[in-house]
């Protein structure tokens, strides 16, 4: 086979999976439920975020929270302060792509 095959976890349970981590990009799949999220951090690369289902609430730098529904694709610059939450009852599912990837692999 020439192609590589990667699988995403389904369901509604919390998932933060690093699907692809290579020299071209980092491709991550995230599922989080209501009242869950990521603590404040600075992005270590340009982040392309696709909201697959649910509504993501993002606070970027010193802005207020903004809510983005399923079908939204965001481009977030590197070194941006970010807080990500799911304030809604619907399960939130995201695809996060870092391209080019950061120099160091995430833990």
């Amino acid at each position: 086979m020439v192609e590589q095959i990667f699988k995403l976890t389904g369901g509604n349970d919390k998932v933060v999976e690093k699907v692809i981590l290579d020299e071209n990009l980092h491709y991550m799949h995230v599922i989080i439920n209501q009242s869950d999220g990521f603590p404040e951090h600075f992005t270590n690369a340009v982040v392309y975020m696709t909201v697959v289902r649910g509504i993501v609430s993002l606070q970027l730098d010193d802005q207020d929270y903004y809510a983005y529904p399923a079908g939204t694709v965001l481009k977030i610059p590197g070194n941006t302060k970010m807080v990500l939450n799911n304030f809604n009852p619907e399960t939130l599912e995201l695809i996060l792509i870092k391209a080019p990837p950061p120099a160091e692999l995430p833990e």
Side-chain angles (χ1 to χ4, degrees):
M1 293 180 79
V2 174
E3 71 276 11
Q4 288 181 279
I5 299 171
F6 302 92
K7 298 280 186 174
L8 303 180
T9 301
N12 294 319
D13 294 333
K14 182 175 182 174
V15 170
V16 178
E17 57 187 346
K18 299 165 187 158
V19 181
I20 302 170
L21 299 178
D22 67 19
E23 68 280 359
N24 300 306
L25 62 81
H26 289 178
Y27 186 106
M28 289 155 287
H29 176 233
V30 176
I31 298 173
I32 52 178
N33 292 300
Q34 186 175 21
S35 302
D36 203 355
F38 295 160
E40 181 180 299
H41 65 285
F42 284 85
T43 59
N44 61 356
V46 175
V47 176
Y48 299 89
M49 179 183 298
T50 303
V51 184
V52 177
R53 64 181 161 139
I55 300 170
V56 65
S57 294
L58 287 177
Q59 184 180 32
L60 301 174
D61 286 335
D62 294 324
Q63 297 178 156
D64 290 332
Y65 272 98
Y66 286 94
Y68 301 96
T72 303
V73 180
L74 302 163
K75 179 182 178 184
I76 302 165
N79 201 38
T80 298
K81 183 171 69 172
M82 175 192 295
V83 181
L84 182 152
N85 284 293
N86 180 7
F87 294 133
N88 299 284
E90 184 181 357
T91 300
L92 173 63
E93 185 171 7
L94 304 169
I95 299 295
L96 305 174
I97 297 173
K98 296 180 180 183
E104 296 182 22
L105 292 177
E107 296 178 13

